[in-house]
Structure formats: structure tokens, C-alpha cells
Amino acid sequence: MVPPMPTDPVAKPRTKPAEERRDELMRSAERLFLEKGLEQTTIEEITAGAGVAKGTFYLQFSSKADILQALRARFVQGVLDGIVAAVEGRKGQDWRGKLAAWSTACASGYLDAAGLHHLAFVAEPPATREGLSRNILIDHLSELLAAGASGDAWSVDDPGFTAVFLFNALHGVVNQPVDETPAGRAELLRKIEAHFLRTLGLASGID
């Protein structure tokens, strides 16, 4: 008689953490949505692409619309993370540099993920347009404008209003067809930076 195999009391579970499963589902959904569109993609295809059972999807999301909303939130958070890193890379009182860094990092974040942005906010727009007047990017810019005003870098009566104005100007520009060559992108970023600086009464360095 063959003796039973000994069990390992410290063996690690073979299942992945829920957060990792969620990330795999989101990456699969993003790829499929970009390839096929939201309506043409099935939940079965999403789970197959993530290598999980269909039931796992419903442990994380209630529908395709729900996972699309999660992709929207991750997109905006990713743009903010890039902005924060760029702004914090400038010296403490370099307000002009911080504002320029904010505009470039925000525009770059949108341009780098143009396909996902178009899908999540244009082809399949959110139920309301509140995100154009209130979101974490506008909040961060408003805080930067207020801090720069306190540091006498510029004068701004209403940082919140100005942040909405600048964000929507940038958003409108990057949401248009652009020259995707390196030179074309660099020129676009220079123009955006110049308009941010001029709005605050700062020299842009561009005639």
C-alpha cells in the first residue's frame, strides 16, 4: 500500500490576491474594449483574457459598464500620479516651473493613453459631464494655483475657476487630432505650457 503524500502545513495558496485578479480583469477588458468596442466585447471574453472563471468577474464588477468606470478612474489617477511626480521634481518655490510641469505632465498623460481616453470618455462618455468641472486633476491644479498665489508667484482671484478654465482648455486641445510625430508632440506641449503661463501673467518664452 502506497503511503499518503505528506501535507505541507505552510504551503502557500495557489489563488491570486483579489487585487491582482481585479487588475488582470481590467487589463483584459481594456485590451478588448480598444480592439472591439464595449458593446461587442463579452464578459466571457474578458474573463478568458484574464484567465479566470466568469464568477470571478462578478466578485469584482457588476457589469461591463462598471469595469469601464474603473478604467476611467484608473486613467485619471494615472495622469495625476504623473503630474504629482513632475511637480514635486521642481524646487519648492519654483512656481513657474511647477505650473509648466503640471501642464506638460497632464497633456502627456492624455496623449500617452489617447486610445483609452477616447474610448472611456468620448466613445462611451460618462453619464454626466461633472468631470469637466470637478475631478482630482482640477483639484490638484486649483491647489497649485492657490499655493503659487500665496507665494506671490502670480495673482489669481479664484483658483478653482481658473483651474477649471485651464483644464478644459488643455482637455479640448489634446482631444483633437494632433501631429503624432515627436516634433509635433513637442510643439503641442510647448504651446500648452505657454498658454498656461500667459494665463497667470508669466512670460512664456514663446513669441
Side-chain angles (χ1 to χ4, degrees):
M1 179 176 170
V2 179
M5 294 293 292
T7 59
D8 183 355
V10 296
K12 296 181 179 179
R14 300 179 66 181
T15 57
K16 295 181 180 180
E19 190 59 35
E20 188 174 342
R21 290 295 195 195
R22 180 181 178 86
D23 183 64
E24 289 173 343
L25 284 164
M26 289 178 66
R27 285 190 281 112
S28 177
E30 179 179 344
R31 176 179 58 80
L32 288 163
F33 290 165
L34 290 172
E35 288 177 359
K36 304 178 62 175
L38 179 70
E39 293 301 323
Q40 290 71 33
T41 299
T42 66
I43 290 175
E44 289 82 359
E45 288 172 325
I46 294 173
T47 55
V52 301
K54 186 175 180 180
T56 303
F57 179 93
Y58 291 105
L59 293 175
Q60 299 289 341
F61 305 101
S62 61
S63 63
K64 289 188 294 180
D66 189 23
I67 200 170
L68 180 62
Q69 180 58 33
L71 287 170
R72 289 188 185 112
R74 188 170 71 173
F75 168 83
V76 177
Q77 185 61 54
V79 175
L80 179 61
D81 291 344
I83 290 171
V84 170
V87 171
E88 290 183 350
R90 298 297 183 125
K91 293 181 180 179
Q93 298 303 310
D94 181 14
W95 296 109
R96 184 184 187 282
K98 289 177 184 289
L99 184 62
W102 198 102
S103 72
T104 298
C106 185
S108 295
Y110 275 89
L111 294 172
D112 289 343
L116 176 59
H117 175 259
H118 184 272
L119 166 77
F121 294 95
V122 180
E124 300 290 342
T128 73
R129 295 175 60 83
E130 182 181 5
L132 295 177
S133 59
R134 182 178 179 82
N135 63 45
I136 57 177
L137 305 180
I138 292 172
D139 290 344
H140 187 271
L141 179 55
S142 179
E143 292 170 4
L144 174 61
L145 295 176
S150 296
D152 294 324
W154 48 67
S155 176
V156 56
D157 294 332
D158 188 338
F161 178 90
T162 305
V164 172
F165 180 88
L166 287 171
F167 172 79
N168 277 274
L170 181 153
H171 186 268
V173 170
V174 298
N175 202 33
Q176 300 299 311
V178 298
D179 180 353
E180 297 181 1
T181 65
R185 177 181 172 125
E187 179 63 17
L188 176 63
L189 294 177
R190 282 195 293 270
K191 288 181 177 179
I192 292 172
E193 176 186 308
H195 280 75
F196 263 63
L197 295 173
R198 287 169 178 164
T199 300
L200 274 298
L202 304 177
S204 67
I206 297 178
D207 295 331

